[in-house]
Amino acid sequence: MNVPYAYDAWYPLAWSRDIGRQLATRRVLEEDLVVYRTEDGQVAALEDVCPHRLAPLSLGTLRGNAVECGYHGLTFDCSGQCVSAPGMARAPTGARVRSYPTAESMGMVWVWMGDPAKANGSEVFHLAEYDDPAYSVVEGDALPVQANYLSLADNLCDPTHVVYVHKTTLASAGREETRVQHERQGNKVITWRWVIDGPLIPVFEGLKDFGGANVDRWHYYHYHAPCIAVIDFGSARTGTGAPEGNREDCIRMFACHFITPIDQHSCMQHWLCLKNSPSSPEIDDRLLAGLRLAFNEDKRVLEAIQRNEDKPREWKRINLALDASSIKMRRIVEEMASSGS
């Protein structure tokens, strides 16, 4: 079953570090784009097709701020207008390709896939802690996942899977029944749980010395439809008041997941981590390794689910009480898609 796309939204396109003065390709919402930086460093994104013979523009050459088609040399500026054509004194005015608004935030290039007139760069997602000197940024990967993007969104609205999928990275044993709470706030769903008086999770080992004491641990999953998840999670020594708001002496992280829907069967998971401790090559490398392991654990399950989704079946999936956040999230996406926003 195909899931809807909300076009009037900012989607993660690529890491800023990966877009330069070379033609790059990306696929978003089943549309192929050619992406590059102009001479002044701005990011241009065009429909990746020449209207003459439909050759991909990404097979061409970057000429200043314009793209020359590699088949017959038609050249398009970063607005998508053809500015020159071989054998013609004036370029055909009707020859143009679609251009897409772009913006940059949190080390990512973002693209607006809907009506360009509705694109507002000030609305691109940005987390305040990204600029906070008390936090360091650990920039992760672009993880390809052969599953529908809403299946990954389900995962990122769901703390309950952690104890089963992430036994060696993000979970502690014996907490399967810890209560999960959730609420909707506009186009956002928040899901949270507290684990009181438990051991430190493996991925936090070495980040802070609690002297072997147990900790109170929180997980707040903030899902901003249609494609952004921020998980606020951390630990403080048990009994120091973290559940009541005292988190002065704690480990705190924000795991940010920016999802690019590629098509109905695949997506790209861009992720980074913010932590309230200084950058350290040794610690950051260990953290990256732990998070890569955890997110590949999710990838393995989600891709297996997609393979089953693609098989013909006469019965439907069941829902459990723990699916409440995912149901809310999918309803928001459906509302955004049906309203054209």
Side-chain angles (χ1 to χ4, degrees):
M1 180 180 69
N2 286 353
V3 301
Y5 296 131
Y7 284 89
D8 287 337
W10 288 103
Y11 285 93
L13 179 62
W15 289 111
S16 293
R17 69 194 186 210
D18 292 337
I19 303 301
R21 290 286 294 158
Q22 303 82 32
L23 299 179
T25 59
R26 293 293 187 275
R27 196 163 203 243
V28 187
L29 306 188
E30 304 182 32
E31 298 183 22
D32 294 312
L33 281 62
V34 57
V35 188
Y36 60 94
R37 288 193 185 274
T38 61
E39 292 176 324
D40 63 357
Q42 300 300 305
V43 176
L46 302 177
E47 184 180 8
D48 190 18
V49 60
C50 177
H52 174 226
R53 294 287 177 84
L54 307 186
L57 290 176
S58 56
L59 297 181
T61 303
L62 186 58
R63 304 287 188 192
N65 290 337
V67 180
E68 179 187 84
C69 177
Y71 196 15
H72 290 101
L74 279 77
T75 302
F76 299 84
D77 66 17
C78 52
S79 75
Q81 180 63 51
C82 181
V83 293
S84 69
M88 300 181 67
R90 297 178 61 183
T93 56
R96 63 176 301 112
V97 295
R98 183 180 176 186
S99 64
Y100 299 80
T102 65
E104 293 189 72
S105 177
M106 296 186 67
M108 293 291 306
V109 176
W110 300 76
V111 64
W112 183 269
M113 298 301 294
D115 181 354
K118 296 180 180 179
N120 183 346
S122 68
E123 296 177 352
V124 176
F125 182 80
H126 193 85
L127 193 66
E129 285 79 5
Y130 188 85
D131 301 316
D132 188 335
Y135 284 81
S136 59
V137 180
V138 181
E139 201 167 271
D141 304 325
L143 179 67
V145 181
Q146 298 303 309
N148 186 275
Y149 82 106
L150 289 187
S151 186
L152 177 53
D154 289 337
N155 177 276
L156 293 169
C157 289
D158 172 26
T160 63
H161 79 279
V162 172
V163 72
Y164 304 101
V165 178
H166 304 301
K167 296 178 181 179
T168 64
T169 51
L170 301 176
S172 58
R175 300 299 171 137
E176 293 84 351
E177 302 304 322
T178 303
R179 183 186 177 198
V180 175
Q181 301 178 73
H182 50 83
E183 68 178 16
R184 174 176 174 174
Q185 296 179 357
N187 285 344
K188 178 171 123 175
V189 176
I190 305 174
T191 312
W192 69 95
R193 79 189 311 180
W194 280 83
V195 177
I196 304 300
D197 195 14
L200 202 64
I201 60 175
V203 77
F204 280 178
E205 294 288 347
L207 294 179
K208 186 175 181 61
D209 185 8
F210 288 109
N214 276 358
V215 296
D216 295 338
R217 188 171 83 247
W218 67 88
H219 295 81
Y220 283 79
Y221 289 54
H222 299 258
Y223 199 90
H224 305 255
C227 62
I228 298 164
V230 177
I231 303 171
D232 172 1
F233 65 120
S235 297
R237 189 189 298 266
T238 295
T240 57
E244 292 74 40
N246 179 18
R247 302 180 196 173
E248 294 180 1
D249 186 24
C250 69
I251 301 170
R252 190 178 192 185
M253 289 189 188
F254 293 88
C256 301
H257 302 264
F258 306 133
I259 305 172
T260 306
I262 296 174
D263 54 35
Q264 291 291 327
H265 301 88
S266 62
C267 61
M268 190 71 73
Q269 180 182 10
H270 304 87
W271 59 269
L272 62 82
C273 180
L274 309 176
K275 57 182 174 64
N276 66 338
S277 60
S279 180
S280 159
E282 180 182 354
I283 291 174
D284 292 355
D285 286 348
R286 187 167 66 247
L287 179 60
L288 280 169
L291 293 175
R292 284 189 178 113
L293 176 59
F295 301 151
N296 274 288
E297 289 169 339
D298 287 323
K299 171 183 166 78
R300 176 174 173 269
V301 173
L302 294 174
E303 292 185 342
I305 289 171
Q306 185 65 50
R307 289 192 292 272
N308 279 334
E309 288 271 11
D310 293 339
K311 295 176 183 177
R313 296 186 183 277
E314 296 180 358
W315 47 266
K316 295 182 179 179
R317 296 190 303 178
I318 64 169
N319 287 322
L320 303 177
L322 58 84
D323 299 315
S325 291
S326 296
I327 292 170
K328 284 183 171 69
M329 175 275 299
R330 285 177 176 257
R331 186 172 296 127
I332 293 171
V333 173
E334 289 172 359
E335 290 171 2
M336 293 175 70
S338 63
S339 68
S341 62

